[in-house]
Amino acid sequence: MKRNDETKKRTALEEWRLIRRGIRIVNEMLPHFWLYQILCTFTETLFPYFGLYLSAQMVNELVGDCNYERLLRLAVITVLGGLFLSIAGKLLQSRRNLCEAFMYQKNDIYMSDAQNDFQYEHLEDPNVVFQRAKIHAAIDAMGAGLYQVKWQLCSLLNDLMGAVFSASLTVSMLVMTARGEYTGVFAFINSPASSLVILSLILINAVCSVRIAAVRGVRQQRLMDGVAEENTRLNAFMRLWGMDMIFFRMDALVLKELRGHLRPKWIEEEEKVTIRYHFLSILLNAALNLCVFLFVAAKAFIGVFGIGNFILYQGTTQRFVMSVSNAAADIGRLKDNNRYLAFLFEYLDLPNDMYQGTLAVEKRDDIDYEIEFRDVSFRYPRTDEWALRHVSMKFKIGDRLAIVGENGSGKTTFIKLLCRLYDPTEGKILLNGIDITRYRYDEYMALFSVVFQDYKILGFPLGENVAVSQIYDETYVRDCLIRAGFGDKLASLDGDPAVKEKNSLRRALWRSYDAEAIELSGGEWQKVALARALYKDAPFVVLDEPTAALDPIAEAAVYEKFNKLTENKTSVFISHRLSSCRFCDSIAVFDHGQLIQQGAHDALVADAGGKYSKLWHAQAQYYEGA
Ligand code: ADP
C-alpha cells in the first residue's frame, strides 16, 4: 500500500472550501449539532471569566472599602449567576451530546448512501475498494476527515471565544499605567513600549504555534498513515477469520504476520520527532507565560492596579495567550486534516459516467418484451482481455433460456450486461428494438429479478427480506415462500412453541440481530432468495448459479421447479452443470467469451462434435439417474 504522501499545495480558498463541505456534511449527519456546540462553548467559556471577574471585585472590595452590603450583593450574584451558567451549560451539553450520538454509525450510513449512487463498475474496481478501506482505516486510527473537522472546529470555537472574552481585559491591562515617576525597568514597564513588546511576543508565539502545528501535523499524519496502512492490513486478515483458520491452524501464521507489522521501526522514529515538537511548543508557551506573569506582577507592584485586579489580569492574560496559541494550532491541524477530506471527497465524487437514458420503459399488459444482443463485445475496465466477443442472440418473453459453459467462459458477464451493470464495449443490446441505454436506468432495472451467485440475505425479519420492504402483503410473501419450496419450514416455524413470536415472517434471520432469530440451513437461505425473486414479480427472472453449493441433483430439482414457477416470464438460468438446464427451451453454450452453440438440449447432444455434447458426456457420469 502506498503512503498517502499528498504534497499538493492548496490556496486558502480551496482549504476553506474543503472545510466548509466537511461542516455541511457533519450538519447533515448530525442536525443542529453546530448550534448547540456554539451555545455550549459560549456558556463554558463565559463561566470561568464570570467567576474570575466577580472574585476580583470581591477582593478589591475587601482590601478597599469593605462595604458589607456590596460584598453580599457580589456574593449573591456570583453564586446565582454561577448556578444559572452551570445548569444552562449542562442542559445545552446534553442536547449537543444527543445530536452527536452514533456519529460512527451515521457516518457509515452516509457513506453507504453515497455508494448507492455509484455505478456498479466502481464497486468491483479494486482501486475503489482499497480507497474505501483506507478511508475507514484512517477513521479508525485517528478519526481523520469528518471527525477531525468536528473536533478541531469545536476546539477552535472554544479557543476563539476564549480569546475574545479575555481580549478586552488583557487590552485594558496593557494600556493602564501608574501616575508616579519611575526609573529603570519600572519606567519601561509603565510605558506603552512594554505593552507593545508583550503583544508582539504573543503574536510571535501564535505564529510559531501554527508553524509547529504544521510540521508536527505532517509528522503525526505520516505516523497515522502508517497506522492506517496497518489497520487496512489487519482488517483484511480479520475478514479471513473463520472455519479455515481453525482447521488449518492458519491463526498461528496470521498472528505472526500481524505481530511483525505492529511495531515497525519507522513508527518509533516518527514518534521521537513528533515528541520534540511537542516539547518545543510547551517550552515556548511556558517562556511566554513567565514573561506575562512578571509583567503583570510588576504592574501591580508599581500600583497600576490593586491586588484583586492582579488576580483578574493574571488569569485573563494567561488565558488570552493560551487561547491565541491554541486557536493558531487548531487552524494548523484543520489544514492538515484537509488532505483526508480531499481523499474522502474524491471517493464520494466518483463520477457515474454510464449513459442515463430518458425513455420510459413501456408497461405492457401482455409483458411482450424482446431482448436482442447485437454483436456485443465486452472488456472489463483496466483489462485487455475480451470477456465477451461478438455475441448475438435474441430472446422473447416466456422463453426459458439456459446459459452454460465452463468457469470463466463469460456467463456472468453476459448477465451483467443484460441487467446493465456494465455497458457493452462494442455492439448493442436492444429491448423491443431500442438500445437499452436510452431507457431510464431505474425503469430498465425494474424489469429484472436476479438471484446472484453470492445473493445477500439481511438479518431483518423473514417477511421484510422477501418483500425488501417493511410494509408487505403477508399473504403474497407466504405464497412466494411456499412456491420457492419453503412451505414446510414456514409451517414448522409458525408452530414453534419455544418462541414468543408466532408469526415467523416477523422473526429476524441473524442471531446477532435478535435472540429469537430463525436458524436457516444453506438450502433454506437459497429458498428465501428465490422467494424474494418471485415477490418482485419482474418480467425477467435470472438465476446466476445461486445453487452452486447444492449437489447437481438438488440443483436440477430447483431449476426444474423454477421453470414451472416462471412460466409466463422470461427466465435465464446459468449453470456449468448441464443436467440442470436440459428442460429449458433454448441453451446457449459459451466458451472463452463466445457464444458457440445455441439450441434445444436434444439437438445439442446430437451434435457429436460440438462442445455441448462433449461437456454433457463428460458430466453425465455424475448424475446417472438424475
Ligand atoms: P463465468 O460466469 O462463465 O464463470 P465470468 O463472466 O465471470 O465467467 O468471467 C468471464 C471472464 O471475465 C473471466 O476471464 C474473468 O476472469 C473475467 N472477469 C470477470 N469479472 C471480472 C472483473 N470484475 N474484472 C476483470 N475481469 C473479470
Side-chain angles (χ1 to χ4, degrees):
M1 178 169 158
K2 255 183 83 209
R3 292 269 188 86
N4 187 5
D5 270 339
E6 195 218 304
T7 47
K8 190 174 168 265
K9 285 260 174 282
R10 289 187 206 89
T11 62
L13 188 65
E14 284 170 329
E15 302 274 16
W16 165 239
R17 281 200 184 121
L18 286 171
I19 297 172
R20 194 179 55 186
R21 187 167 168 194
I23 296 174
R24 271 205 218 116
I25 296 179
V26 171
N27 200 41
E28 253 175 77
M29 285 196 289
L30 315 172
H32 309 306
F33 169 78
W34 293 118
L35 171 72
Y36 284 115
Q37 181 59 42
I38 291 172
L39 293 175
C40 264
T41 311
F42 182 78
T43 46
E44 277 162 18
T45 320
L46 185 63
F47 189 72
Y49 289 101
F50 181 78
L52 207 58
Y53 180 78
L54 285 161
S55 320
Q57 300 312 309
M58 281 199 276
V59 174
N60 281 342
E61 194 58 46
L62 279 169
V63 295
D65 298 349
C66 206
N67 177 322
Y68 289 113
E69 206 176 298
R70 267 209 297 273
L71 267 176
L72 187 68
R73 203 179 320 130
L74 281 171
V76 170
I77 295 175
T78 310
V79 171
L80 290 185
L83 196 68
F84 171 78
L85 281 178
S86 359
I87 293 175
K90 281 289 164 239
L91 287 176
L92 287 167
Q93 242 177 41
S94 105
R95 297 300 310 169
R96 189 226 21 222
N97 292 351
L98 277 179
C99 286
E100 68 176 342
F102 297 117
M103 180 169 177
Y104 196 85
Q105 289 80 351
K106 285 176 184 168
N107 184 54
D108 268 358
I109 292 172
Y110 186 87
M111 296 276 285
S112 308
D113 219 17
Q115 277 155 218
N116 276 341
D117 295 332
F118 282 5
Q119 68 194 71
Y120 182 76
E121 178 192 329
H122 294 325
L123 302 180
E124 284 200 336
D125 180 348
N127 293 328
V128 175
V129 171
F130 181 64
Q131 207 174 342
R132 186 173 55 225
K134 213 180 152 192
I135 289 170
H136 281 293
I139 292 174
D140 290 348
M142 57 174 159
L146 294 175
Y147 293 82
Q148 284 283 349
V149 165
K150 189 177 127 242
W151 296 331
Q152 296 306 335
L153 273 178
C154 289
S155 166
L156 181 63
L157 206 62
N158 187 35
D159 294 323
L160 285 182
M161 277 201 199
V164 169
F165 275 114
S166 49
S168 57
L169 285 171
T170 306
V171 171
S172 66
M173 180 275 294
L174 287 173
V175 296
M176 260 192 251
T177 48
R179 289 228 178 86
E181 290 288 319
Y182 300 99
T183 52
V185 179
F186 291 117
F188 175 69
I189 295 288
N190 204 30
S191 71
S194 63
S195 303
L196 279 179
V197 169
I198 289 291
L199 258 186
S200 312
L201 285 179
I202 294 174
L203 283 179
I204 292 170
N205 185 51
V207 173
C208 287
S209 293
V210 178
R211 285 299 309 144
I212 292 174
V215 180
R216 198 178 63 192
V218 170
R219 288 278 167 187
Q220 222 163 20
Q221 297 215 348
R222 219 178 282 165
L223 180 88
M224 289 306 181
D225 276 356
V227 176
E229 276 179 35
E230 298 309 333
N231 265 9
T232 312
R233 215 188 308 262
L234 239 148
N235 288 343
F237 275 120
M238 286 311 173
R239 273 199 298 277
L240 292 175
W241 225 259
M243 292 285 205
D244 286 2
M245 283 283 195
I246 296 164
F247 279 108
F248 293 100
R249 299 299 323 161
M250 286 155 82
D251 48 343
L253 184 67
V254 169
L255 289 177
K256 188 163 183 279
E257 166 80 12
L258 286 180
R259 282 197 191 104
H261 281 287
L262 286 185
R263 267 204 85 72
K265 201 92 197 103
W266 65 264
I267 289 195
E268 283 169 35
E269 277 156 24
E270 292 284 356
E271 191 61 49
K272 265 188 220 156
V273 182
T274 311
I275 205 84
R276 260 181 244 153
Y277 282 101
H278 268 297
F279 284 147
L280 189 58
S281 102
I282 290 170
L283 280 178
L284 264 177
N285 274 321
L288 183 60
N289 279 336
L290 183 67
C291 291
V292 167
F293 180 84
L294 293 174
F295 178 74
V296 180
K299 276 204 158 192
F301 184 72
I302 58 174
V304 178
F305 34 74
I307 189 76
N309 280 352
F310 166 70
I311 298 171
L312 176 67
Y313 289 136
Q314 189 57 47
T316 47
T317 312
Q318 301 280 5
R319 173 104 193 172
F320 181 72
V321 170
M322 201 177 71
S323 300
V324 171
S325 133
N326 285 353
D330 293 333
I331 292 170
R333 281 193 286 267
L334 267 174
K335 210 168 142 264
D336 285 331
N337 181 55
N338 268 353
R339 58 202 196 115
Y340 286 95
L341 280 185
F343 193 60
L344 170 72
F345 297 155
E346 192 188 308
Y347 176 78
L348 293 176
D349 296 340
L350 279 171
N352 185 339
D353 44 29
M354 274 188 112
Y355 182 77
Q356 305 291 325
T358 49
L359 281 183
V361 173
E362 205 183 344
K363 303 267 182 311
R364 302 183 65 115
D365 289 339
D366 57 0
I367 49 169
D368 190 8
Y369 295 106
E370 185 191 68
I371 292 266
E372 180 184 353
F373 273 60
R374 194 178 283 172
D375 198 18
V376 168
S377 296
F378 179 71
R379 246 189 330 228
Y380 280 97
R382 298 165 299 280
T383 60
D384 299 327
E385 297 286 313
W386 290 100
L388 282 186
R389 198 70 182 131
H390 300 306
V391 173
S392 292
M393 179 198 292
K394 264 189 190 173
F395 47 99
K396 269 185 86 65
I397 203 82
D399 281 357
R400 274 168 297 168
L401 174 72
I403 314 274
V404 300
E406 288 165 299
N407 284 338
S409 57
K411 305 183 293 296
T412 299
T413 307
F414 176 84
I415 297 299
K416 286 180 183 167
L417 293 189
L418 173 67
C419 302
R420 248 206 112 191
L421 296 180
Y422 288 95
D423 284 334
T425 315
E426 288 172 11
K428 278 183 185 160
I429 303 173
L430 310 167
L431 170 71
N432 293 348
I434 296 173
D435 191 330
I436 58 171
T437 59
R438 296 184 53 206
Y439 290 108
R440 282 189 47 162
Y441 192 69
D442 51 344
E443 290 200 8
Y444 181 75
M445 295 287 265
L447 293 176
F448 296 91
S449 192
V450 191
V451 185
F452 286 105
Q453 281 179 28
D454 57 344
Y455 57 82
K456 302 276 184 287
I457 304 284
L458 303 170
F460 297 155
L462 176 60
E464 289 179 23
N465 259 298
V466 174
V468 197
S469 164
Q470 287 180 336
I471 302 158
Y472 52 85
D473 176 346
E474 213 174 292
T475 319
Y476 187 45
V477 168
R478 284 179 180 277
D479 178 50
C480 292
L481 281 165
I482 292 166
R483 284 194 283 146
F486 197 79
D488 291 345
K489 179 78 182 175
L490 196 63
S492 79
L493 288 170
D494 283 339
D496 188 346
V499 290
K500 278 196 235 118
E501 179 56 71
K502 292 301 165 211
N503 183 349
S504 47
L505 295 190
R506 296 201 197 121
R507 283 175 61 191
L509 298 186
W510 291 350
R511 274 283 151 118
S512 54
Y513 196 71
D514 182 354
E516 284 205 341
I518 302 169
E519 295 273 15
L520 295 179
S521 69
E524 287 161 351
W525 282 112
Q526 173 231 335
K527 286 173 186 166
V528 175
L530 294 182
R532 182 172 64 187
L534 287 175
Y535 189 93
K536 187 171 175 189
D537 198 24
F540 290 85
V541 181
V542 182
L543 298 193
D544 181 3
E545 273 195 287
T547 51
L550 300 184
D551 64 69
I553 296 164
E555 182 188 283
V558 168
Y559 278 29
E560 204 181 332
K561 188 171 172 25
F562 216 72
N563 259 332
K564 291 199 191 95
L565 292 175
T566 55
E567 252 160 6
N568 61 343
K569 299 177 190 299
T570 307
S571 48
V572 184
F573 296 158
I574 296 194
S575 183
H576 61 272
R577 292 171 181 154
L578 308 194
S579 66
S580 301
C581 306
R582 59 185 158 168
F583 309 101
C584 289
D585 303 325
S586 175
I587 300 172
V589 186
F590 278 79
D591 188 35
H592 292 97
Q594 287 184 310
L595 174 63
I596 51 164
Q597 281 181 294
Q598 191 172 2
H601 171 76
D602 292 339
L604 289 174
V605 174
D607 180 3
K611 179 92 182 168
Y612 186 86
S613 175
K614 280 187 202 146
L615 284 173
W616 173 258
H617 289 296
Q619 290 185 3
Q621 48 176 314
Y622 298 115
Y623 11 90
E624 227 83 291

